C-alpha cells in the first residue's frame, strides 16, 4: 500500500473516520526535509500495510486543515 494523498475535502473520511491508526505527513513542495523523508514515509506505509494508514497532505494547497488539527 502506498501513501494516500489527502486534502481538505477527504481528510475527515480518510483520517478522522479511519478504522485503523493513521500517520499524517504534512509536507510542502518547497520543503527540502519533507522531500528527504518522503521515501521513509513510503517505507512505513508499505511495511505496516493493513495495520496502519499513512497519508500525506500538502500544507500549501490545504492550509486550513493542518491549522485545525
Amino acid at each position: 500500500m502506498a501513501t494516500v494523498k489527502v486534502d481538505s475535502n477527504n481528510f475527515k473520511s480518510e483520517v478522522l473516520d479511519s478504522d485503523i491508526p493513521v500517520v499524517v505527513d504534512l509536507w510542502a513542495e518547497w520543503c527540502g526535509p519533507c522531500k528527504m523523508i518522503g521515501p521513509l514515509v513510503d517505507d512505513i506505509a508499505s511495511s505496516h500495510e493493513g495495520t496502519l494508514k499513512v497519508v500525506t497532505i500538502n500544507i500549501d494547497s490545504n492550509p486550513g486543515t493542518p491549522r485545525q488539527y
Side-chain angles (χ1 to χ4, degrees), residues 3-64:
T3 57
V4 177
K5 293 184 180 181
V6 299
D7 57 28
S8 297
N9 296 323
N10 66 352
F11 188 85
K12 182 179 184 312
S13 64
E14 291 290 340
V15 177
L16 302 178
D17 295 339
S18 178
D19 293 336
I20 59 176
V22 181
V23 172
V24 179
D25 176 32
L26 305 168
W27 71 280
E29 188 64 39
W30 51 264
C31 177
C34 298
K35 290 181 179 182
M36 289 173 48
I37 67 163
L40 177 60
V41 172
D42 291 337
D43 287 345
I44 292 169
S46 295
S47 64
H48 291 84
E49 184 174 356
T51 59
L52 180 71
K53 183 189 294 188
V54 179
V55 303
T56 63
I57 185 167
N58 183 316
I59 63 168
D60 289 331
S61 301
N62 303 279

